[in-house]
Amino acid sequence: MTHIQVSFEEESQNPPAVGHWKPLMPSKGEKEEPESGCQDAGGVHEPQSTEQLNVSRLRSSSVEIREKGSEFLRDELHKAQKELKLKDKECERLSKVREQLEQELEELTASLFEEAHKMVREANTKQAAAEKQLREARGKIDMLQAEVTALKTLVITSTPSSPNRELHPQLQSPSKAGFRKGHGRNKSTSSAMVSAASQNVAPEPVSRECREVDSILFAEFQAWKESPTLDKSCSFLDRIYREDVGPCLDFTKQELSELVRVAVEQNTLTIEPVASHTVPVGKVVAEECGGPNGFRSQILTKCALSGLPRTCKHRIMLGDSGNYYYISPSCRARITAVCNFFTYIRYIQQGLVRQDVELMYWEVMRLRREMSLAKLGFYPSEM
């Protein structure tokens, strides 16, 4: 028993020899070889067939992978070509849109420039027409002023108490009127002027005054015009305050004069006409008028600014105080001249005056002249 076990262990430790096994049946396509040949080459042929099988398998799998890869690449290429075509179409569409927008922009720009030039031409035409109308209006005003001056010269010689019989031919006797009518050339100079006025003969135009721009004043006005302000520190307004505004508002009552100046500067002064029964009566003077009523009473009161008894047809109020001060026509003319000046420079400051600089300068000079004349005591008769 022990011997048998030892022999079995020896046999198990010794592996069987390779190549001694014979296949039961030969494979298809193969020929039976002699046992000796199989014993000699059996150990080399079997690994070569396995390696060839593995190579053939690798080749078939690589061909299959290559075909699948090429098919995938063809699909991807086809997709890419489709996307490229879509992008080309989108680019073409966007380029067309851009060209259309550029064309519309050019047309819009051209139309805007054309409209702007048209507006400028229309504005220039309107400005030229307005300047022409202004010149014509000024000419008419000059002519009317000349006519009014001539008529005043004619009427000044006639009063209700002693009417000029040349102006009122109905007051003449028939024989005398007929004589004068037939011998008009023998009249005096004043009678000839009256006859000309009665026949509506236009008077000769009044010669216009000459003027020349003062370089210093014009330079100060131009500097002020660049940045208009109501500050008295600038040279333009400082000069006008010293030369015109200050003297024109320098009344006898200094305290009230200062309040009036401040109200004028702040644009809070009010001037209004008053009825005769509201004026505080200081003195009543009977003046012959030659009318159906026989006499007319002229009411005199003390002017609040000059302190003199004058015919006060207007009164002023400073701000919202509610206190009224009665002023004479001369004081009213002085205050009105200063108010007109401040109103005009406020219009310039607010940009409401659109004229040439030289025209604005001459308007300022005209307002300064009015202040100077009012200070000297000259004022219109309707004051």
Side-chain angles (χ1 to χ4, degrees), residues 331-348:
C331 294
R332 176 181 179 264
R334 292 164 67 172
I335 295 174
T336 304
V338 177
C339 289
N340 291 338
F341 168 75
F342 275 102
T343 300
Y344 188 70
I345 64 173
R346 284 193 189 97
Y347 286 165
I348 296 177

Side-chain angles (χ1 to χ4, degrees), residues 136-151:
E136 292 177 355
R138 286 180 177 176
K140 290 180 181 180
I141 291 173
D142 294 338
M143 184 179 65
L144 292 174
Q145 287 178 348
E147 292 179 359
V148 169
T149 304
L151 291 175

Side-chain angles (χ1 to χ4, degrees), residues 15 19 22 44 63 79 96 115 144 170 233 274 278 314 319 373:
K22 292 174 59 178
V44 179
V63 169
K79 291 180 181 179
K96 289 180 181 179
E115 187 68 21
L144 292 174
Q170 68 273 12
S233 61
V274 294
T278 61
H314 294 82
L373 292 176

